[in-house]
């Protein structure tokens, strides 16, 4: 039975403690340790039982506890410091304000389907959401005028538990939004602000919740309201739940609904950042609004949107990109694409790698790439993989000229470094490392930390991890009704002084969680040494429909229960942010062994590194950039394998070799004072190299300098004078598209010898028919370089040709080609569109090569 009338009850706090609500509602507390300590100090047990949720805690706390706090001078002093710190955070002059001046309105809109801000807001599943949250935190610290958009899920992502056989089971508890650090946005005192979206069976309404992340507002949409039909109330029910139809509904809500929410909030961003292809429908809505409000054509409005958008792809495999069947797109957009002035096929071509290929379905990543001004991967190697993956969009372009670049991910250091390590860094580095984490000079001071203090700090965190693991195991054994004997055994697992390896992540099969078990006997020899013991802690979730991933968990559970590995291997259930912090702050080695080229970036190893843990990882994702002999260990080199089983044998064997011959001996090589001096030296050199480079302050700064600022400047240029530049650019592109087919290369010649000496220069001349185009519309280049034994370019570079004049039906172009290296060389003429307003010559996806 449902109530006829609803009302809310807010926490009731004494007048002098009202500021606790201010602290609770601003998620800066998630990375401000003094505020976390304040809530823990108020009621330590309640802080834990509410899953570190200060708002829920304040709603159920005993009045007696609050009254006692009022008379506790120490607590009240702590409370005032936390409040003053938050107030100073909002008033100090940020880097962005210092550089660009104060911005009173949000200029940048950031869209993501998930955000991993804190464990008490389970609206994330893994790395994508945690990266998005860290992006917002650093944007706040730097003062970027950014607002974010996402969805607020009633069920969030699932909770994990294991059955007796070790198979993962899923539980979907309901989120209580009114006891989470989010607030409904109101139209007026009595009315929630809501937006409306047309779905095939009628309109759907979504209300807007706000989470304040430091200085950055995050707006979250929720369709679970009584006005909506049951199937539409469920759109925001679960993250990554349901079928493809549920997914397209969610992505329409995020993209189209998100833009409408910003409009309803009177937020007019100059540019949008699409974090993964889930958000790509926002491009269509921005274009539709520009057409409707500014009287632009689709091509003109597209120019304006492209000038103000960046797209970040996180997925290095085709299967990880959302693709919707043509029939599904027709169902949800048949009344929408006419509003864009497009035919059905023109609309569907926006999401096809090969326009005109009617057998190809609609890909959200393709849509985002086609409409974004900049596209980037999340590590250098992922940028290269992405250029190869999406090469079809630019037929005829060499892979290294595909306009997909990279910005390597980072972490928000204050969110991940332990209390103990923070205190240590404060003492020896000074407080600036928190506010200027990219400063290499500051991190060089790690060398000045006494070995004893760094090691004792690290050991305390390992001890805390082991204690947590034992408590966690007991809790889950009790829930499963295990015997007293089995529960008491949980107090014996792990050794707080043993070399501890951590492996925690999504249990996708490409991450190869069971690789270290390839040779169980050899592994047992490493782990079970009496003099030099080693132990491994595993955690992670498999997707509910990933049976193979679930089987990996089952295998690890069975190994952990076997006599061979008992007490040396532990699997911790229900991986979340709290567990992740214990892991990255307490292990000695962070293990990561995905199949190469399948890990876009990965950030868990960065989190472990900033706490002093060393990485043992495959050279993939960020580790290709972070690895050196002074930062950790690499599994494999540049090899590629066709036989995947053989690859597993080779790489697991190398892992064992590294553990047996390098890692374990280095860890247990102790002096008379019991300190592993060589290990500590490696910790220090690693932190000096990794910490200033792999943080989200550096990442967000890079996004701002390379993408946000150039895009905002270009957007302003295109929209000035009644969108004059946008209209002109759209008209020019239409002219080029129409005239491109009439271009002919009449001849290419050079009169010098085919044998040249190093240091020579020879001249090439070409005659070109351009039809309706002029020499100003094109770039004529000689693509010149060395040639390998298979007559392919092994290295090359374009040399621009200069317009010389006209001769009968041809325009004449010439260039001088330098001979710089000996060997076999070759050249080919090519033609590209040219306009000073283009982002890059590849923007039109047009290129013509000499045949």
């Amino acid at each position: 039975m449902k109530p006829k009338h609803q009302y809310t009850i807010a926490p009731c706090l004494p007048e002098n403690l009202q500021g606790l609500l201010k602290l609770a509602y601003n998620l800066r507390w998630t990375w401000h340790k003094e505020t976390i300590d304040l809530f823990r100090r108020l009621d330590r047990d309640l802080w834990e039982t509410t899953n570190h949720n200060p708002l829920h805690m304040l709603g159920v706390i005993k009045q007696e506890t609050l009254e006692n706090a009022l008379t506790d001078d120490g607590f009240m002093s702590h409370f005032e410091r936390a409040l003053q710190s938050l107030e100073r955070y909002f008033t100090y002059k940020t880097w962005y304000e210092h550089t660009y001046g104060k911005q009173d309105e949000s200029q940048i809109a950031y869209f993501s389907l998930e955000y991993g801000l804190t464990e008490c807001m389970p609206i994330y599943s893994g790395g994508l959401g945690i990266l998005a949250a860290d992006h917002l935190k650093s944007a706040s610290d730097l003062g970027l005028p950014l607002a974010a958009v996402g969805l607020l899920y009633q069920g969030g992502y699932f909770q994990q538990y294991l059955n007796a056989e070790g198979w993962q089971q899923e539980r979907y508890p309901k989120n209580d939004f009114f006891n989470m650090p989010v607030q409904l946005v109101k139209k007026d005192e009595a009315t929630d602000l809501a937006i409306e979206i047309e779905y095939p069976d009628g309109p759907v309404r979504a209300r807007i919740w706000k989470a304040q992340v430091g200085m950055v507002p995050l707006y979250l949409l929720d369709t679970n309201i009584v006005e909506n039909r049951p199937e539409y109330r469920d759109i925001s029910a679960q993250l990554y739940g349901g079928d493809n139809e549920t997914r397209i509904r969610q992505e329409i809500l995020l993209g189209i609904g998100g833009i409408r929410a910003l409009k309803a909030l009177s937020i007019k961003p100059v540019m949008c950042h699409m974090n993964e292809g889930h958000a790509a429908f926002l491009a269509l809505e921005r274009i539709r609004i520009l057409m409707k409000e500014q009287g632009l054509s689709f091509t003109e409005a597209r120019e304006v949107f492209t000038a103000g958008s960046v797209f970040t792809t996180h997925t290095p495999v085709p299967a990880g990109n959302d693709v919707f069947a043509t029939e599904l797109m027709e169902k949800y957009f048949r009344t929408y694409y006419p509003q864009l002035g497009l035919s059905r096929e023109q609309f569907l071509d926006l999401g096809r790698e090969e326009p005109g290929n009617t057998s190809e379905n609609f890909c959200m990543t393709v849509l985002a790439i086609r409409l974004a001004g900049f596209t980037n991967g999340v590590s250098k190697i992922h940028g290269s993989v992405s250029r190869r993956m999406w090469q079809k969009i630019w037929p005829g372009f060499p892979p290294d000229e595909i306009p997909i670049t990279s910005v390597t991910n980072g972490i928000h250091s204050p969110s991940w470094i332990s209390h103990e390590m923070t205190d240590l860094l404060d003492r020896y580095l000074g407080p600036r490392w928190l506010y200027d984490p990219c400063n290499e000079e500051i991190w060089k001071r790690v060398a000045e930390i006494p070995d004893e203090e760094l090691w004792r700090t690290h050991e305390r965190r390992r001890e805390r991890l082991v204690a947590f693991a034992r408590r966690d195991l007991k809790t889950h054994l009790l829930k499963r009704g295990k015997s007293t004997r089995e529960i008491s055994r949980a107090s014996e697992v792990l050794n707080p002084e043993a070399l501890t390896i951590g492996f925690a992540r999504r249990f996708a099969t490409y991450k190869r969680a069971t690789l270290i078990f390839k040779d169980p006997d050899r592994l047992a020899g490493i782990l079970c040494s009496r003099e030099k013991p080693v132990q491994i802690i595993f955690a992670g979730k498999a997707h509910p429909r990933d049976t193979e991933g679930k089987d990996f968990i089952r295998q690890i559970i069975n190994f952990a229960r076997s006599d061979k590995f008992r007490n040396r291997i532990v699997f911790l259930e229900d991986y979340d942010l709290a567990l992740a912090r214990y892991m990255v702050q307490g292990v000695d080695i962070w293990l990561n062994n995905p199949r190469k080229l399948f890990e876009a970036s990965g950030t868990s190893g960065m989190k472990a590194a900033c706490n002093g843990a060393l990485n043992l990882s495959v050279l993939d994702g960020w580790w290709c950039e972070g690895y050196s002999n002074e930062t950790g260990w690499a599994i494999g080199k540049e090899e590629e394998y066709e036989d995947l089983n053989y690859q597993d044998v080779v790489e697991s064997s190398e892992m064992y070799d590294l553990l047996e011959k390098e890692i374990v001996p280095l860890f247990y090589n102790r002096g008379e004072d019991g300190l592993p001096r060589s290990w500590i030296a490696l910790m220090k050199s690693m932190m000096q190299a990794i910490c200033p480079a792999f943080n989200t302050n550096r990442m967000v700064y890079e996004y701002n300098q390379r993408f946000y600022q150039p895009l905002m400047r270009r957007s302003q240029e295109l929209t000035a004078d009644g969108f004059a530049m946008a209209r002109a650019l759209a008209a020019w592109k239409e002219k080029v598209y129409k005239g491109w087919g009439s271009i002919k290369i009449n001849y290419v010649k050079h009169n010098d010898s085919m044998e040249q000496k190093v240091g020579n220069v020879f001249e090439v001349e070409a005659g070109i028919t351009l039809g309706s185009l002029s020499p100003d519309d094109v770039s004529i280049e000689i693509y010149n370089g060395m040639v390998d034994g298979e007559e392919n370019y092994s290295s090359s570079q374009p040399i621009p040709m200069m317009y010389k004049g006209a001769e009968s039906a041809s325009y004449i172009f010439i260039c001088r080609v330098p001979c710089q290296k000996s060997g076999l060389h070759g050249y080919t003429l090519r033609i590209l569109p040219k306009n000073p307003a283009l982002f890059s010559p590849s923007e039109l996806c047009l290129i013509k090569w000499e045949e």
Side-chain angles (χ1 to χ4, degrees):
M1 181 177 176
K2 295 182 179 180
K4 192 72 175 176
H5 306 281
Q6 294 184 3
Y7 58 96
T8 59
I9 300 176
C12 180
L13 301 177
E15 184 65 29
N16 289 347
L17 292 178
Q18 286 294 315
L20 287 171
L21 283 175
K22 185 177 181 180
L23 292 170
Y25 272 118
N26 193 307
L27 286 153
R28 178 177 177 254
W29 63 259
T30 64
W31 72 92
H32 188 247
K33 292 178 172 50
E34 188 173 41
T35 308
I36 292 173
D37 288 342
L38 177 73
F39 287 113
R40 185 182 282 120
R41 179 175 185 168
L42 187 60
D43 191 324
R44 182 176 295 274
D45 292 338
L46 194 55
W47 174 254
E48 296 299 330
T49 57
T50 58
N51 199 25
H52 309 157
N53 183 342
L55 194 74
H56 187 199
M57 179 179 169
L58 294 176
V60 297
I61 197 167
K62 293 178 180 178
Q63 202 66 28
E64 179 187 357
T65 304
L66 295 174
E67 296 297 335
N68 290 338
L70 281 170
T71 60
D72 182 338
D73 290 344
F75 177 87
M76 294 304 292
S77 176
H78 190 167
F79 172 48
E80 288 301 323
R81 287 198 308 273
L83 267 181
Q84 289 168 10
S85 175
L86 182 62
E87 288 165 5
R88 285 196 304 272
Y89 185 79
F90 276 90
T91 55
Y92 81 95
K93 193 171 184 179
T94 65
W95 168 82
Y96 192 92
E97 183 182 348
H98 180 79
T99 308
Y100 301 102
K102 189 171 178 59
Q103 302 291 329
D104 295 325
E105 297 181 353
S106 297
Q107 305 285 304
I108 305 157
Y110 183 91
F111 284 68
S112 181
L113 200 58
E114 53 173 299
Y115 293 91
L117 290 157
T118 174
E119 53 270 25
C120 69
M121 284 182 65
I123 56 172
Y124 65 95
S125 73
L128 177 71
I130 294 168
L131 183 281
D134 281 9
H135 192 117
L136 302 194
K137 293 173 182 179
S138 280
S140 173
D141 288 343
L142 291 168
L144 267 68
L146 182 146
V149 179
L151 304 186
L152 190 59
Y153 304 98
Q154 194 71 59
Y157 203 58
F158 70 90
Q159 291 182 353
Q160 177 196 59
Y161 66 98
L162 304 175
N163 67 14
E165 288 74 39
W167 283 99
Q168 172 184 292
Q169 309 293 305
E170 295 85 33
R171 182 186 297 115
Y172 295 91
K174 298 294 184 185
N175 284 327
D176 179 2
F177 302 156
F178 293 96
N179 276 309
M180 288 167 57
V182 295
Q183 292 177 293
L184 272 171
V185 179
K186 295 286 188 177
K187 186 175 183 180
D188 53 50
E189 193 173 321
T191 312
D192 298 338
L193 184 65
I195 52 103
E196 193 169 278
I197 312 165
E198 285 292 330
Y199 282 83
D201 299 325
V204 174
R205 287 174 62 79
R207 56 187 172 178
I208 305 168
W209 298 79
K210 180 182 177 183
Q212 190 68 36
V213 186
M215 288 188 278
V216 170
L218 166 59
Y219 298 101
L220 300 164
L221 304 181
D222 159 35
T223 61
N224 187 20
I225 52 180
V226 292
E227 297 97 311
N228 291 331
R229 295 165 51 172
E231 64 269 30
Y232 289 141
R233 293 185 69 167
D234 286 345
I235 291 174
S236 57
Q238 286 178 18
L239 173 62
Y240 304 135
D243 55 14
N244 241 21
E245 185 147 18
T246 301
R247 179 66 65 84
I248 197 172
R249 289 173 177 173
Q250 287 185 336
E251 296 184 6
I252 288 170
L253 177 62
L254 175 65
I256 296 176
I259 291 294
R260 293 184 186 180
L262 292 178
K263 188 173 175 61
L265 291 158
S266 299
I267 296 173
K268 300 175 182 178
V270 178
M271 65 146 300
C272 294
H273 187 160
M274 299 174 278
N275 189 44
E276 195 54 284
H278 311 129
F281 287 141
L282 75 84
L284 305 177
E285 182 65 5
R286 286 266 284 179
I287 290 171
R288 186 192 69 81
I289 291 173
L290 282 165
M291 292 174 68
K292 181 180 179 181
E293 294 184 352
Q294 304 298 331
L296 303 177
S297 68
F298 175 82
T299 53
E300 293 166 346
R302 177 177 178 170
E303 293 302 328
V304 177
F305 173 78
T306 298
S309 63
V310 60
F311 166 55
T312 299
T313 175
H314 294 259
T315 311
V317 290
N321 296 273
D322 285 340
V323 176
F324 297 121
T326 299
E327 296 75 22
L328 202 57
M329 291 299 297
E330 172 70 19
K331 177 179 177 180
Y332 281 88
F333 286 92
R334 62 174 174 261
T335 62
Y336 190 92
Y337 60 73
Q339 298 177 58
L340 300 174
L342 300 177
S343 68
R344 177 180 180 273
E345 289 305 311
Q346 286 174 321
F347 173 73
L348 293 173
D349 278 348
L350 293 173
R352 291 169 173 161
E353 290 184 76
E354 299 177 82
N357 181 359
T358 56
S359 64
E360 188 180 340
N361 288 323
F362 191 96
C363 178
M364 295 294 285
T365 303
V366 174
L367 175 66
I369 289 173
R370 285 200 183 282
L371 296 181
F374 289 112
T375 295
N376 71 281
V378 290
S379 67
K380 288 180 181 177
I381 195 169
H382 180 230
S384 176
V385 168
S386 297
R387 286 189 288 276
R388 292 198 297 273
M389 271 182 68
W390 304 109
Q391 193 172 356
K392 281 186 181 179
I393 298 175
W394 295 271
F397 281 83
D400 60 350
E401 294 187 14
I402 299 300
I404 299 176
T405 183
S406 64
V407 175
T408 301
N409 283 345
I411 62 163
H412 184 251
S413 306
S415 295
W416 296 102
I417 298 181
S418 71
H419 280 47
E420 293 87 346
M421 186 64 76
T422 296
D423 292 342
L424 183 67
L425 295 176
D426 282 347
R427 285 201 301 278
Y428 290 97
L429 276 61
R432 277 189 59 203
W433 73 269
L434 266 174
Y435 311 111
D436 189 12
C438 307
N439 191 317
E440 294 181 4
E441 292 303 313
I442 293 174
W443 285 100
K444 285 180 181 177
R445 298 176 197 163
V446 167
E448 300 170 14
I449 301 174
D451 287 357
E452 307 84 32
E453 291 194 52
L454 180 59
W455 188 243
R456 299 305 174 215
T457 298
H458 181 66
E459 283 195 310
R460 281 195 294 274
R461 287 310 312 186
R462 190 192 315 116
E463 289 163 5
R464 283 177 179 265
L465 171 60
V466 169
F468 171 83
R470 291 170 175 175
R471 290 195 308 270
D472 191 70
L473 282 170
K474 285 181 182 178
T475 298
H476 288 99
L477 289 170
L478 278 167
K479 287 180 180 178
R480 289 203 291 272
K482 294 297 182 179
S483 67
T484 304
R485 183 166 174 269
E486 285 181 281
I487 294 168
S488 65
R489 274 184 181 174
S491 299
E492 301 170 2
V493 302
L494 305 176
N495 176 350
E497 296 181 356
L499 171 60
T500 303
I501 300 172
F503 183 101
R505 53 190 31 88
R506 284 189 306 115
F507 265 64
T509 51
Y510 76 84
K511 293 180 183 286
R512 297 191 297 179
T514 57
L515 181 66
I516 200 166
F517 296 101
K518 193 71 178 175
D519 186 339
D521 292 335
R522 190 172 178 188
L523 177 62
I526 296 168
L527 300 191
C528 300
S529 166
R530 286 185 178 276
E531 294 78 22
K532 300 176 180 179
V534 180
Q535 57 201 12
I536 311 175
I537 302 176
F538 288 91
K541 297 176 179 178
H543 190 280
R545 293 193 292 273
D546 184 359
T547 304
E548 194 173 354
K550 289 183 177 183
D551 189 52
F552 279 7
I553 294 174
R554 183 194 62 81
Q555 290 178 46
I556 291 171
I557 295 297
N558 287 337
F559 277 118
R561 290 172 178 171
S562 69
D563 291 337
K564 185 181 292 186
F565 295 112
R566 190 179 299 279
N567 296 341
R568 304 287 186 169
I569 293 176
V570 167
F571 184 92
L572 300 179
E573 296 179 40
D574 200 25
Y575 186 45
D576 67 358
L577 286 172
L579 173 50
R581 283 193 295 273
Y582 272 103
M583 292 275 288
V584 299
Q585 292 170 5
V587 298
D588 301 294
I589 291 289
W590 193 258
L591 177 63
N592 186 30
N593 45 239
R595 290 207 187 280
K596 191 164 182 185
L597 305 185
F598 280 65
E599 186 81 281
S601 177
T603 58
S604 57
M606 303 174 194
K607 295 162 189 151
C610 68
N611 283 285
L614 301 171
N615 275 264
L616 169 60
S617 178
V618 167
L619 284 170
D620 199 9
W622 81 281
W623 191 232
C624 283
E625 301 163 53
Y627 167 71
S628 76
N629 290 332
E630 296 185 342
T631 59
W633 293 274
I635 302 167
K637 297 294 184 288
E638 303 299 323
E639 307 91 346
E640 293 187 16
Y641 299 86
E642 292 185 7
D643 185 335
L644 298 184
N645 187 61
Y646 177 67
Q647 178 185 6
D648 291 349
V649 170
V650 170
E651 293 183 348
S652 63
S653 179
E654 183 171 357
M655 195 189 312
Y656 299 140
D657 284 344
L658 286 169
L659 287 167
E660 291 167 341
K661 298 173 183 177
E662 295 188 35
I663 297 172
V664 176
L666 189 69
F667 183 85
Y668 284 104
N669 180 19
R670 308 293 173 97
E672 291 185 6
D673 57 5
L675 295 178
R677 298 280 181 179
S678 297
W679 185 278
I680 295 168
L682 188 55
M683 288 172 66
K684 289 182 176 181
S685 63
M686 176 275 299
M687 293 178 73
Q688 289 172 310
I690 298 298
C691 293
F694 297 96
N695 61 77
T696 43
N697 276 45
R698 184 274 310 158
M699 182 191 82
V700 172
Y701 175 86
E702 196 172 339
Y703 274 113
N704 183 71
Q705 301 303 94
R706 291 176 56 192
F707 302 150
Y708 296 168
Q709 293 303 317
L711 285 168
M712 287 194 283
R713 287 193 297 268
R714 179 171 163 90
S715 181
Q716 289 165 355
E717 291 170 357
L718 285 176
T719 57
D721 301 323
F723 298 86
M725 187 175 172
R727 296 179 197 273
L729 184 57
W732 177 82
K733 284 187 177 181
E734 188 174 354
K735 180 183 80 166
V736 171
Y737 281 126
K738 286 181 178 178
W740 196 256
S742 62
I743 295 175
K744 292 180 182 177
I745 301 172
N746 298 322
Y747 67 87
V748 180
K749 64 182 182 181
H750 76 268
N751 298 321
D752 296 310
S753 169
M754 297 302 289
E755 292 189 9
Q756 296 287 329
K757 300 287 187 185
V758 171
N760 286 359
V761 175
F762 64 89
E763 187 174 274
V764 177
E765 180 181 303
I768 313 290
T769 297
L770 294 176
S772 60
L773 304 181
S774 76
D776 291 336
D777 296 323
V778 294
S779 175
I780 314 294
E781 298 175 345
I782 290 297
Y783 194 72
N784 181 65
M786 296 195 71
V787 178
D788 62 21
E790 297 180 354
E791 299 187 354
N792 295 316
Y793 284 107
S794 58
S795 63
S796 56
Q797 65 175 14
I799 303 171
M801 301 190 79
M802 306 301 293
Y803 175 55
K804 183 179 180 182
E807 186 177 287
S808 65
S810 291
Y811 292 104
I812 310 303
F813 295 83
I814 59 169
C815 77
R816 292 167 63 80
V817 179
C819 302
Q820 297 172 324
K821 292 182 180 179
S822 62
L824 183 62
H825 290 69
Y827 70 84
T828 309
L829 183 141
R830 68 181 191 178
I831 306 174
L832 293 155
K834 182 180 72 175
N835 189 303
L838 292 178
F839 279 110
S840 77
S842 57
E843 188 174 324
L844 279 71
C845 302
L846 296 175
I847 189 168
K848 189 173 185 67
W849 292 88
E850 175 190 356
E851 296 178 354

